[in-house]
Amino acid sequence: MKPLFLSLITILASGVLPLFFYKRFTLLKALAAGGISLGCMIGLSGAINSLYTARPAAAAWTWLHILPLSLHVDTLTAFFLIPIFLIGSLSALYSFHYLSDQTKGLRTAAHYLFFSLLIAAMAFVVMADDMVTFLLAWEFMSISSCFLVVYDYEQKETRHAAYIYFIFTEAGALFIFAAFGVIYAVTGSFNLTSAASLLPDIKLLVFFLAFIGFGSKAGVFPLHIWLPHAHPAAPSHVSALMSGVMIKMGIYGILRLYLALSPDSVIFGRGILIFGIVSGVLGVVYAMGQHNLKRLLAYHSIENIGIILIGLGLGMTGVSVGNPAMAFLGFTGGLMHVLNHAIFKALLFMGAGSVFHGTGTLAIDRLGGLMKRMKITGLTFLAGSVAICGLPPLNGFVSEFFIYNGAFQGRTLEKTDFLLVMLAVISLAVIGGLAVACFTKVIGIVFLGEPRTDEAGRAHESDPSMLYAMGILAVCSIAIGLAPALFVGPSAMAAATLLAKTPYDNTIYSDLMTLCKDISLGAVVFLVLLVIVAMMRKGFYRAKETGLGPTWGCGFTRPSPRIQYTGASFAASILEFFRPVAPVHEEYIGPAGVFPSRASYHSRLNDIAEDLEVNWMALPIVRLMRHLRWIQHGNIQLYIAYIVIAIAALLLAGLWR
């Protein structure tokens, strides 16, 4: 526990110290980025040490002589601390050159304060051992991240995004409060482990309430609406931390409560599996129709949360039906995807930030040809794209391969569970195919071809700290993909914690290691073939004369960037199939008359969850509130009368009961 405390003290001190040096811009950034990175590295070493020594650590205090504040580090906690400190460190490093506006000294210093608070709060969330500590840490995490989103507060879109995020995060917190309130009302204890003594029906109610709260933070469909607004508005290193790590706090909350409730019913696994399938498929479909690079990545976060939930749903179902192989592979795959997604999603958001830094725009259709001008950004973004598509030999493939294997272990199940397991396999295949199509669009339109605008033509490579952060994450993706046996241990140990009630033997772990060796062998064969093909190509073209010309010439004598595919045209045929769940709004003004004016076309993919929640829930409430405005009239005597009437009504209700 001592290294973790030292880590958190270092991180928080590194957030406070820059406030005293806000007039010296470079110094404040060096203190903050360097200190937070150092603190995170100390925390990372402490988390890995806690994981492998397998000795739970604990500390406890009493707040206001009544409320307990207690921390506990077990295997599951240590596992979730790894992405927090790893991505926290690299995000801080990335921010050193990303935050480059010297006129925003005080704002940048305040930004680092909330950045350090967010990292510390996430660590406290996973270390909390009682409901009071958990809720305090959860609120610190939500509020500090809200301040990080609103960094560019002078822009109306940013304020709107922060407002939506605040509404969703606080609404989600209320559901978590309600779930914990039910536990306390029945057990009289603030300890989460007391939830195990609840009756089955109350366990289901508590899990349902908490799932809405945690699902809102994780971005589970249809509770995801804040993500596509918040990520484009936030600075890229904040998006990397929020998407790579913070949304996983929702996943951690679901798992911690599942562990505390220790339910026997199969309905928990089924529910998680269904939400995982829906989130995974619709997340990637909506990503296909986006024109903003960070908004597209935000929808891919929803997709990957779906993949994680599919793995965890398989694990919970396996525990309920007594299938330890299915449970172990499902949990291990889901947890490993938590780590893998943290790595490649942080890499992709940093890549998007690098594109914005070099061109000043995130509009996909205004870019093009960046691979020639931003080679390191392009190559690292390509690595992240291969990883997120679940393709070998990168890390995304490893975790998805485990989840596939977990699902196939459920082939002997019957009726509903068999149907859900098969749906999980099919949905994983659909998600993978659509993800490949989506990132083919991104790589093809953003990084290949010719620049579509002057901004793209003047693009320049990013500064060193940004490139180092992206390079380290790309190397992590490749290393896990090539040698998963070296990295699967933390996920397997955390999965074993979740299998406490299920008979479990070492043969299942041996099978997992065999899978890892097969993956490594396949990756090595793939790389050898790749090298052979590259050498053959070089050999065949050695004696030939090679000419250089603009991309997309395609036989035209005067090629123009405007003849290239756009994002909308690339995705149109795929989105057409999903129109019932992903309606596309189109605005087309075609040429007309003898002297036609300029034609235009614009498309926008409507999020059905956002439409339903705004048009069918929020707007009716707003209209109702407008009719009740007469209550707010400014007369203090009547306000006092309202309070007296309310108290009297409550007293009468209590007496009547």
Side-chain angles (χ1 to χ4, degrees), residues 125-161:
V125 164
V126 299
M127 292 195 294
D129 194 34
D130 63 82
M131 291 184 273
V132 176
T133 311
F134 187 94
L135 290 173
L136 281 173
W138 189 269
E139 281 300 288
F140 269 110
M141 176 182 73
S142 299
I143 293 171
S144 57
S145 56
C146 191
F147 278 104
L148 290 173
V149 170
V150 79
Y151 178 76
D152 291 314
Y153 58 80
E154 63 272 20
Q155 298 177 18
K156 185 180 178 182
E157 294 81 8
T158 300
R159 297 196 299 274
H160 179 66

Side-chain angles (χ1 to χ4, degrees), residues 27 31 38 68 90 112 151 159 220 222 266 272 307 334 342 351 355 358 365 475 575 585 606 624 628:
L27 177 61
L31 287 171
L38 175 65
L90 294 174
Y112 277 119
Y151 178 76
R159 297 196 299 274
V220 176
V266 74
I272 295 290
I307 294 173
V355 168
D365 292 335
V475 169
L575 291 177
H585 176 76
N606 292 334
L624 175 64
L628 296 176

Side-chain angles (χ1 to χ4, degrees), residues 280-281 283-285 287-288 296 300 303-304 307 385-391 400 427-443 570 574:
V281 174
V284 70
V285 168
M288 280 289 298
L296 179 147
H300 273 289
E303 169 220 331
N304 279 275
I307 294 173
S385 301
V386 174
I388 200 172
C389 292
L391 295 175
E400 289 194 32
S427 65
L428 282 172
V430 171
I431 292 167
L434 291 175
V436 170
C438 189
F439 276 92
T440 302
K441 162 186 143 179
V442 174
I443 295 293
F570 187 94
I574 297 174

Side-chain angles (χ1 to χ4, degrees), residues 601-612:
Y601 173 82
H602 178 72
S603 67
R604 184 183 70 252
L605 185 61
N606 292 334
D607 190 323
I608 54 170
E610 186 168 350
D611 284 350
L612 286 173

Side-chain angles (χ1 to χ4, degrees), residues 106-387:
L106 183 58
R107 187 188 307 191
T108 304
H111 172 83
Y112 277 119
L113 172 65
F114 291 114
F115 191 75
S116 65
L117 277 174
L118 174 60
I119 296 173
M122 288 191 293
F124 278 117
V125 164
V126 299
M127 292 195 294
D129 194 34
D130 63 82
M131 291 184 273
V132 176
T133 311
F134 187 94
L135 290 173
L136 281 173
W138 189 269
E139 281 300 288
F140 269 110
M141 176 182 73
S142 299
I143 293 171
S144 57
S145 56
C146 191
F147 278 104
L148 290 173
V149 170
V150 79
Y151 178 76
D152 291 314
Y153 58 80
E154 63 272 20
Q155 298 177 18
K156 185 180 178 182
E157 294 81 8
T158 300
R159 297 196 299 274
H160 179 66
Y163 175 72
I164 291 176
Y165 173 56
F166 183 77
I167 294 293
F168 267 82
T169 197
E170 289 307 311
L174 286 177
F175 277 95
I176 299 170
F177 269 75
F180 287 0
V182 172
I183 296 173
Y184 181 77
V186 176
T187 65
S189 170
F190 288 113
N191 199 323
L192 273 172
T193 55
S194 64
S197 62
L198 297 176
L199 295 172
D201 290 345
I202 300 178
K203 284 184 180 180
L204 187 60
L205 172 66
V206 168
F207 192 77
F208 173 74
L209 289 171
F211 181 77
I212 294 175
F214 292 131
S216 172
K217 182 66 73 182
V220 176
F221 195 95
L223 308 167
H224 65 282
I225 292 174
W226 64 271
L227 268 94
H229 293 279
H231 286 312
S236 289
H237 60 286
V238 174
S239 300
L241 190 64
M242 288 175 68
S243 183
V245 185
M246 193 193 73
I247 62 173
K248 309 298 178 7
M249 296 301 101
I251 298 296
Y252 173 80
I254 293 169
L255 283 177
R256 181 56 73 186
L257 197 64
Y258 171 78
L259 202 58
L261 291 170
S262 191
D264 296 316
S265 172
V266 74
I267 196 168
F268 293 85
R270 288 177 183 171
I272 295 290
L273 207 46
I274 291 169
F275 274 102
I277 291 170
V278 173
S279 298
V281 174
L282 291 187
V284 70
V285 168
Y286 282 110
M288 280 289 298
Q290 303 306 314
H291 305 303
N292 180 291
L293 186 54
K294 288 180 74 175
R295 193 174 167 86
L296 179 147
L297 294 176
Y299 274 107
H300 273 289
S301 294
I302 299 162
E303 169 220 331
N304 279 275
I305 286 296
I307 294 173
I308 292 168
L309 289 181
I310 289 173
L312 302 184
L314 290 170
M316 293 178 188
T317 305
V319 169
S320 301
V321 301
N323 187 334
M326 176 182 171
F328 182 69
L329 285 168
F331 279 135
T332 304
L335 288 168
M336 193 152 189
H337 206 71
V338 167
L339 179 62
N340 287 339
H341 179 254
I343 292 170
F344 60 66
K345 183 46 71 69
L347 169 59
L348 289 170
F349 267 115
M350 289 181 187
S354 185
V355 168
F356 183 73
H357 199 262
T359 63
T361 181
L362 287 168
I364 293 173
D365 292 335
R366 295 183 62 78
L367 297 168
L370 298 188
M371 190 65 84
K372 298 172 187 171
R373 295 160 182 81
M374 305 176 69
K375 188 159 284 185
I376 297 176
T377 297
L379 290 174
T380 52
F381 196 95
L382 179 62
S385 301
V386 174

